[in-house]
Amino acid sequence: MVRSAVALKEDSKLKFESYEDLVKRRGKMLAPVFSEDWPNLPVVRAEGLYLHGLDGKRYIDFMSAFGVVNLGHNHPAVVAAAREQMEKQIHGAVGVTLHESVLRLAALLPEVLPGHLDMFFFGNSGSEAVEGSIKLARNVTKRPGIIAFIGGFHGRTYGAATLTASKAVYRTGLDPFVPGVYHVPYADPYHSSHPYESEKCVEESINSLELVLKRLIAPSQVAAVIVEPIQGEGGYIVPPKDFLVRLREICTEQDMLLIFDEVQSGFGRTGEWFAAQSFGVQPDIMAVAKGIANGFPLGAVCAHYDLMSRWEPTVHGTTFGGNPISCAAAIATIETIKREGLLQNAKETGKHLLNRLKELKTAHPTVGDARGLGLMTAIEFIIPGSDRHPNAATAKAFLNEALSRGVLMYPCGMHGNAVRVAPPLNVTLKQIDEATNIMGESLSKIR
Ligand SMILES: Cc1ncc(COP(=O)(O)O)c(C=O)c1O
């Protein structure tokens, strides 16, 4: 039985500190690289859209813990499924033993994935899903090259960090990186040298890719092109559809695999199950994590049987991947999104949210851009009157002001001057109005 806090306190041998005291001491216990971030908000309970702080205040979580709790915190259906599974079995070493929830999840996922992705390797995180995706591509094609994009964020493990090019700091002190990785510019409509001119920004990126394939690495040496169909950490950048269409065409023509990293854009965030469906473009491999189990650690490498079954056994593996509780939570997450019509809700509320953000842009010259798809939206701060000159200081002031008024959001983008606005998929229009009103008040205050 779990011992109560009172029982622990009474045990004279155990040093018992209050949460408040532990928070004060955190800098001496948690590695800075793990915990030094903004705003370090101590939370005692999380439920639905809300975080309940140690300070007694209630906060609106408008970033869904990095797009993980797409159903809101502690959704009852997920809690119930996890609890039920925990009573039966907590851990299972897949391959040595089998458990029902991993098989049920594997049977269910093809219903929501684009095209014919019907075979899976389960890990614990986004980085692992990305790592697995590139290992699969290299192992099957026997080619070394991987092409990734400037602005992309793919995780922190070595392979994933090698692919990452959203901020130089994520790569600092890591050399030498995994060999064989080449970066080309992403089709970024707002930051391109031809802002909002979709055709030109697609052309710029595709020309660079073709140049790399002509001058640096021949397509016959490239295992895969990996891309976030919407860049997350890189700034919530929505590319023109044609960019992804062209990538698909080039990969097919040149016999290279196309990997979508949908760790952040997946699981309903864009108003479809995945951004691949929003854009109507089919990847060969997909990396999925974050929202898949609404808070339980789970990641998946997804591919069609014809490809995945060629990844030789024992070349890759996992201890915790496909955890029974995480898989049960993932099944409950999928069922809840279906039962509660949350894709439709994300589409409808997402349109309203983007309109509200565009109104903020019109009213506040420090907001240079408002963009997004579904409930994956952002505003970007610039120096008013400049040609999109980044304004990270105002973004920071805005985030602090909004937090003091009870709304938690988080920065993104190369300069940290964009703010991601990503509420859970079951957010209501009223809640969007409440939060965006607070955003408006915050903008007026910091003016
Ligand atoms: C697109 C994308 N890929 C991969 C990752 C890495 O995921 P994790 O932090 O679970 O390893 C992230 C995390 O933010 C991400 O946004």
Side-chain angles (χ1 to χ4, degrees):
M1 223 179 59
V2 177
R3 306 188 65 210
S4 72
V6 177
L8 280 170
K9 201 170 187 177
E10 281 166 2
D11 184 338
S12 58
K13 290 207 183 89
L14 285 169
K15 195 172 163 207
F16 193 87
E17 289 173 79
S18 68
Y19 186 8
E20 286 87 346
D21 287 344
L22 288 167
V23 168
K24 280 186 206 137
R25 241 163 40 80
R26 73 180 164 78
K28 294 257 171 10
M29 300 185 293
L30 304 180
V33 78
F34 176 53
S35 75
E36 281 308 307
D37 200 346
W38 177 87
N40 258 310
L41 180 71
V43 166
V44 290
R45 196 162 57 82
E47 194 178 9
L49 183 64
Y50 302 106
L51 298 167
H52 299 272
L54 185 60
D55 57 8
K57 286 207 262 175
R58 192 188 77 167
Y59 295 87
I60 295 174
D61 181 352
F62 241 43
M63 44 111 47
S64 304
F66 290 118
V68 169
V69 290
N70 285 357
L71 306 181
H73 291 274
N74 284 35
H75 191 284
V78 176
V79 173
R83 186 172 283 148
E84 195 187 318
Q85 175 59 50
M86 190 162 64
E87 300 285 342
K88 289 197 272 193
Q89 184 182 3
I90 293 175
H91 174 66
V94 177
V96 179
T97 57
L98 281 172
H99 49 269
E100 189 176 343
S101 61
V102 75
L103 293 172
R104 284 211 182 284
L105 178 60
L108 186 59
L109 274 173
E111 282 183 30
V112 304
L113 285 163
H116 307 288
L117 305 177
D118 58 4
M119 210 175 204
F120 309 98
F121 174 89
F122 292 110
N124 309 285
S125 67
S127 300
E128 278 181 68
V130 166
E131 221 48 70
S133 298
I134 59 173
K135 283 178 83 173
L136 164 64
R138 278 184 167 169
N139 183 257
V140 165
T141 61
K142 311 291 179 218
R143 299 172 182 180
I146 306 281
I147 296 185
F149 289 86
I150 300 286
F153 182 89
H154 299 283
R156 305 294 198 153
T157 51
Y158 244 100
T162 304
L163 303 171
T164 290
S166 56
K167 276 196 193 99
V169 67
Y170 298 145
R171 301 170 60 88
T172 302
L174 291 185
D175 281 284
F177 287 98
V178 174
V181 174
Y182 300 80
H183 287 96
V184 296
Y186 193 76
D188 176 342
Y190 181 63
H191 302 97
S192 118
S193 44
H194 309 281
Y196 299 122
E197 290 188 48
S198 296
E199 265 178 45
K200 286 190 180 156
C201 96
V202 172
E203 235 23 71
E204 274 176 356
S205 170
I206 296 297
N207 287 346
S208 304
L209 171 61
E210 288 177 340
L211 204 63
V212 167
L213 294 175
K214 279 192 194 118
R215 291 195 181 265
L216 290 174
I217 181 165
S220 63
Q221 297 306 300
V222 175
V225 173
I226 180 163
V227 66
E228 287 170 274
I230 298 177
Q231 284 188 338
E233 161 61 27
Y236 274 39
I237 311 287
V238 186
K241 173 181 169 162
D242 202 36
F243 169 61
L244 298 167
V245 170
R246 295 285 297 281
L247 288 184
R248 177 67 275 174
E249 284 167 3
I250 293 169
C251 285
T252 305
E253 278 161 20
Q254 304 287 2
D255 198 20
M256 305 180 296
L257 295 168
L258 181 61
I259 304 173
F260 274 6
D261 177 347
E262 291 240 30
V263 167
Q264 192 152 171
S265 57
F267 266 86
R269 186 108 320 261
T270 61
E272 298 288 347
W273 283 101
F274 293 92
Q277 290 135 336
S278 298
F279 288 108
V281 177
Q282 179 66 34
D284 299 301
I285 302 173
M286 201 146 105
V288 176
K290 286 199 195 282
I292 186 172
N294 210 57
F296 285 89
L298 187 68
V301 181
C302 315
H304 183 253
Y305 171 89
D306 290 346
L307 182 70
M308 187 69 100
S309 57
R310 286 158 57 203
W311 199 4
E312 296 141 305
T314 72
V315 162
H316 193 49
T318 173
T319 295
F320 289 110
N323 171 269
I325 302 172
S326 297
C327 289
I331 294 164
T333 300
I334 295 170
E335 284 171 349
T336 304
I337 292 176
K338 286 185 176 182
R339 191 179 56 248
E340 296 184 1
L342 296 184
L343 297 184
Q344 190 56 27
N345 191 62
K347 264 191 214 126
E348 284 165 17
T349 54
K351 271 193 198 124
H352 181 65
L353 174 59
L354 189 57
N355 284 338
R356 295 301 309 256
L357 299 182
K358 285 185 173 160
E359 283 166 22
L360 294 178
K361 172 179 172 291
T362 307
H364 301 273
T366 187
V367 178
D369 194 31
R371 54 180 175 258
L373 188 63
L375 289 169
M376 189 167 184
T377 65
I379 51 175
E380 175 153 339
F381 286 84
I382 58 162
I383 307 281
S386 74
D387 180 15
R388 299 164 289 160
H389 196 84
N391 190 348
T394 303
K396 193 88 204 156
F398 166 74
L399 284 166
N400 279 316
E401 188 59 39
L403 186 68
S404 74
R405 291 163 186 265
V407 179
L408 175 65
M409 290 164 289
Y410 194 82
C412 59
M414 178 165 60
H415 305 280
N417 64 316
V419 169
R420 55 186 105 186
V421 187
L425 310 184
N426 47 14
V427 72
T428 63
L429 295 175
K430 198 164 160 237
Q431 288 167 333
I432 287 178
D433 286 342
E434 183 188 354
T436 50
N437 285 344
I438 293 174
M439 290 170 75
E441 290 160 16
S442 306
L443 284 165
S444 301
K445 178 77 195 303
I446 60 162
R447 194 197 296 264

